[in-house]
Amino acid sequence: MTSSAFSPTRTPPSTAYITTTAQPSSTALNMANENDLLRWARSARSAGVDDRLVELKRPLGIVLNEDANGNVYVETVAPRGNAARTGEVREGDIVAMCSSTFGDEMWSTRGAGLSRVLSAIRLRAGPTVKLVFENSKEGVSKAKRTEKAVKAEEAARANAKAKKDALLKELQRDEKRLKKAKLLGLF
């Protein structure tokens, strides 16, 4: 039997069994501290539902600067610039994500530094750039929502384990009853 690039590859049964029994992990729900939140934010490739996504035409009409952690923030919004016209960009906002060079994907700018963000904006194909902005209050509320999600997941796991244990005990009782009934039925 010859193999070609167009023939389907078969997965050995043992490999398929291993992959189907593995528990899926959710990075977004397994966060325990601020570093995990940062790692999760950096791995995101699109803006979330609760993110403040703003599409700006060039020239953007903002002056960006960098803080000590490498986060880029809006230092000044030009009064008659494109950013001011949207009404969604304010001084002090942190640039959380930036559109990639082409396509619809976004990348996290957290800790990336001013030069990388400016390069990404300059190299972006097309007349517009999408940026996700957040202020300190939005960052705190995201962290709180994430913390609540972690607690909810832990509670759901505990409830599922308790339910599983109860069902296993019930199954064992039923099996004992069936064995007794079989033994009694023979005599």
Side-chain angles (χ1 to χ4, degrees), residues 166-178:
L167 288 171
L168 282 174
K169 285 181 182 178
E170 186 179 336
L171 182 64
Q172 289 171 350
R173 279 194 309 256
D174 288 347
E175 285 178 351
K176 285 181 183 178
R177 286 185 199 148
L178 284 173

PDB file of all heavy atoms in Angstrom, residues 166-178:
ATOM      1  N   ALA A 166     -22.023   9.880  44.504  1.00  0.00           N
ATOM      2  CA  ALA A 166     -23.349   9.406  44.919  1.00  0.00           C
ATOM      3  C   ALA A 166     -23.883   8.369  43.931  1.00  0.00           C
ATOM      4  O   ALA A 166     -24.454   7.341  44.339  1.00  0.00           O
ATOM      5  CB  ALA A 166     -24.314  10.581  45.035  1.00  0.00           C
ATOM      6  N   LEU A 167     -23.697   8.605  42.649  1.00  0.00           N
ATOM      7  CA  LEU A 167     -24.156   7.650  41.639  1.00  0.00           C
ATOM      8  C   LEU A 167     -23.379   6.341  41.720  1.00  0.00           C
ATOM      9  O   LEU A 167     -23.959   5.255  41.547  1.00  0.00           O
ATOM     10  CB  LEU A 167     -24.037   8.257  40.243  1.00  0.00           C
ATOM     11  CG  LEU A 167     -25.054   9.350  39.912  1.00  0.00           C
ATOM     12  CD1 LEU A 167     -24.698  10.017  38.578  1.00  0.00           C
ATOM     13  CD2 LEU A 167     -26.452   8.783  39.866  1.00  0.00           C
ATOM     14  N   LEU A 168     -22.076   6.417  41.981  1.00  0.00           N
ATOM     15  CA  LEU A 168     -21.274   5.201  42.127  1.00  0.00           C
ATOM     16  C   LEU A 168     -21.725   4.379  43.328  1.00  0.00           C
ATOM     17  O   LEU A 168     -21.820   3.150  43.260  1.00  0.00           O
ATOM     18  CB  LEU A 168     -19.794   5.547  42.249  1.00  0.00           C
ATOM     19  CG  LEU A 168     -19.076   5.904  40.951  1.00  0.00           C
ATOM     20  CD1 LEU A 168     -17.660   6.373  41.223  1.00  0.00           C
ATOM     21  CD2 LEU A 168     -19.055   4.707  40.027  1.00  0.00           C
ATOM     22  N   LYS A 169     -22.015   5.034  44.456  1.00  0.00           N
ATOM     23  CA  LYS A 169     -22.505   4.329  45.643  1.00  0.00           C
ATOM     24  C   LYS A 169     -23.839   3.656  45.349  1.00  0.00           C
ATOM     25  O   LYS A 169     -24.076   2.515  45.734  1.00  0.00           O
ATOM     26  CB  LYS A 169     -22.636   5.292  46.821  1.00  0.00           C
ATOM     27  CG  LYS A 169     -21.324   5.669  47.447  1.00  0.00           C
ATOM     28  CD  LYS A 169     -21.518   6.599  48.623  1.00  0.00           C
ATOM     29  CE  LYS A 169     -20.180   7.006  49.205  1.00  0.00           C
ATOM     30  NZ  LYS A 169     -20.339   7.952  50.320  1.00  0.00           N
ATOM     31  N   GLU A 170     -24.718   4.377  44.665  1.00  0.00           N
ATOM     32  CA  GLU A 170     -26.021   3.815  44.312  1.00  0.00           C
ATOM     33  C   GLU A 170     -25.854   2.609  43.390  1.00  0.00           C
ATOM     34  O   GLU A 170     -26.523   1.582  43.547  1.00  0.00           O
ATOM     35  CB  GLU A 170     -26.879   4.883  43.634  1.00  0.00           C
ATOM     36  CG  GLU A 170     -28.285   4.451  43.350  1.00  0.00           C
ATOM     37  CD  GLU A 170     -29.104   5.551  42.711  1.00  0.00           C
ATOM     38  OE1 GLU A 170     -28.772   6.733  42.893  1.00  0.00           O
ATOM     39  OE2 GLU A 170     -30.086   5.207  42.028  1.00  0.00           O
ATOM     40  N   LEU A 171     -24.948   2.686  42.449  1.00  0.00           N
ATOM     41  CA  LEU A 171     -24.678   1.581  41.532  1.00  0.00           C
ATOM     42  C   LEU A 171     -24.136   0.363  42.292  1.00  0.00           C
ATOM     43  O   LEU A 171     -24.555  -0.770  42.032  1.00  0.00           O
ATOM     44  CB  LEU A 171     -23.678   2.027  40.462  1.00  0.00           C
ATOM     45  CG  LEU A 171     -23.310   1.010  39.399  1.00  0.00           C
ATOM     46  CD1 LEU A 171     -24.529   0.651  38.569  1.00  0.00           C
ATOM     47  CD2 LEU A 171     -22.217   1.557  38.508  1.00  0.00           C
ATOM     48  N   GLN A 172     -23.245   0.585  43.231  1.00  0.00           N
ATOM     49  CA  GLN A 172     -22.699  -0.511  44.026  1.00  0.00           C
ATOM     50  C   GLN A 172     -23.782  -1.179  44.870  1.00  0.00           C
ATOM     51  O   GLN A 172     -23.821  -2.407  44.983  1.00  0.00           O
ATOM     52  CB  GLN A 172     -21.556  -0.001  44.915  1.00  0.00           C
ATOM     53  CG  GLN A 172     -20.302   0.355  44.134  1.00  0.00           C
ATOM     54  CD  GLN A 172     -19.255   1.060  44.977  1.00  0.00           C
ATOM     55  OE1 GLN A 172     -19.515   1.454  46.111  1.00  0.00           O
ATOM     56  NE2 GLN A 172     -18.060   1.240  44.411  1.00  0.00           N
ATOM     57  N   ARG A 173     -24.676  -0.388  45.454  1.00  0.00           N
ATOM     58  CA  ARG A 173     -25.792  -0.948  46.233  1.00  0.00           C
ATOM     59  C   ARG A 173     -26.690  -1.804  45.342  1.00  0.00           C
ATOM     60  O   ARG A 173     -27.101  -2.905  45.714  1.00  0.00           O
ATOM     61  CB  ARG A 173     -26.627   0.172  46.869  1.00  0.00           C
ATOM     62  CG  ARG A 173     -26.055   0.731  48.139  1.00  0.00           C
ATOM     63  CD  ARG A 173     -27.079   1.574  48.876  1.00  0.00           C
ATOM     64  NE  ARG A 173     -27.688   2.569  47.997  1.00  0.00           N
ATOM     65  CZ  ARG A 173     -27.385   3.859  48.001  1.00  0.00           C
ATOM     66  NH1 ARG A 173     -26.482   4.317  48.838  1.00  0.00           N
ATOM     67  NH2 ARG A 173     -27.976   4.689  47.168  1.00  0.00           N
ATOM     68  N   ASP A 174     -26.980  -1.281  44.140  1.00  0.00           N
ATOM     69  CA  ASP A 174     -27.824  -2.025  43.207  1.00  0.00           C
ATOM     70  C   ASP A 174     -27.163  -3.337  42.785  1.00  0.00           C
ATOM     71  O   ASP A 174     -27.832  -4.366  42.653  1.00  0.00           O
ATOM     72  CB  ASP A 174     -28.146  -1.178  41.975  1.00  0.00           C
ATOM     73  CG  ASP A 174     -29.123  -0.054  42.280  1.00  0.00           C
ATOM     74  OD1 ASP A 174     -29.747  -0.075  43.365  1.00  0.00           O
ATOM     75  OD2 ASP A 174     -29.248   0.850  41.428  1.00  0.00           O
ATOM     76  N   GLU A 175     -25.850  -3.314  42.554  1.00  0.00           N
ATOM     77  CA  GLU A 175     -25.137  -4.532  42.177  1.00  0.00           C
ATOM     78  C   GLU A 175     -25.182  -5.563  43.304  1.00  0.00           C
ATOM     79  O   GLU A 175     -25.374  -6.759  43.062  1.00  0.00           O
ATOM     80  CB  GLU A 175     -23.691  -4.209  41.811  1.00  0.00           C
ATOM     81  CG  GLU A 175     -23.544  -3.551  40.460  1.00  0.00           C
ATOM     82  CD  GLU A 175     -22.104  -3.190  40.129  1.00  0.00           C
ATOM     83  OE1 GLU A 175     -21.220  -3.282  41.012  1.00  0.00           O
ATOM     84  OE2 GLU A 175     -21.881  -2.796  38.974  1.00  0.00           O
ATOM     85  N   LYS A 176     -25.019  -5.124  44.559  1.00  0.00           N
ATOM     86  CA  LYS A 176     -25.112  -6.033  45.702  1.00  0.00           C
ATOM     87  C   LYS A 176     -26.501  -6.648  45.777  1.00  0.00           C
ATOM     88  O   LYS A 176     -26.650  -7.837  46.037  1.00  0.00           O
ATOM     89  CB  LYS A 176     -24.780  -5.302  47.005  1.00  0.00           C
ATOM     90  CG  LYS A 176     -23.306  -5.028  47.186  1.00  0.00           C
ATOM     91  CD  LYS A 176     -23.049  -4.315  48.501  1.00  0.00           C
ATOM     92  CE  LYS A 176     -21.582  -3.975  48.646  1.00  0.00           C
ATOM     93  NZ  LYS A 176     -21.338  -3.241  49.895  1.00  0.00           N
ATOM     94  N   ARG A 177     -27.545  -5.859  45.575  1.00  0.00           N
ATOM     95  CA  ARG A 177     -28.924  -6.368  45.603  1.00  0.00           C
ATOM     96  C   ARG A 177     -29.144  -7.412  44.516  1.00  0.00           C
ATOM     97  O   ARG A 177     -29.786  -8.433  44.744  1.00  0.00           O
ATOM     98  CB  ARG A 177     -29.916  -5.222  45.426  1.00  0.00           C
ATOM     99  CG  ARG A 177     -30.061  -4.350  46.635  1.00  0.00           C
ATOM    100  CD  ARG A 177     -31.150  -3.314  46.410  1.00  0.00           C
ATOM    101  NE  ARG A 177     -30.971  -2.236  47.361  1.00  0.00           N
ATOM    102  CZ  ARG A 177     -31.263  -0.973  47.145  1.00  0.00           C
ATOM    103  NH1 ARG A 177     -31.775  -0.613  45.981  1.00  0.00           N
ATOM    104  NH2 ARG A 177     -31.071  -0.073  48.067  1.00  0.00           N
ATOM    105  N   LEU A 178     -28.613  -7.137  43.320  1.00  0.00           N
ATOM    106  CA  LEU A 178     -28.772  -8.088  42.224  1.00  0.00           C
ATOM    107  C   LEU A 178     -28.050  -9.400  42.520  1.00  0.00           C
ATOM    108  O   LEU A 178     -28.560 -10.481  42.216  1.00  0.00           O
ATOM    109  CB  LEU A 178     -28.253  -7.486  40.919  1.00  0.00           C
ATOM    110  CG  LEU A 178     -29.140  -6.455  40.242  1.00  0.00           C
ATOM    111  CD1 LEU A 178     -28.406  -5.827  39.058  1.00  0.00           C
ATOM    112  CD2 LEU A 178     -30.436  -7.075  39.788  1.00  0.00           C
TER     113      LEU A 178
END
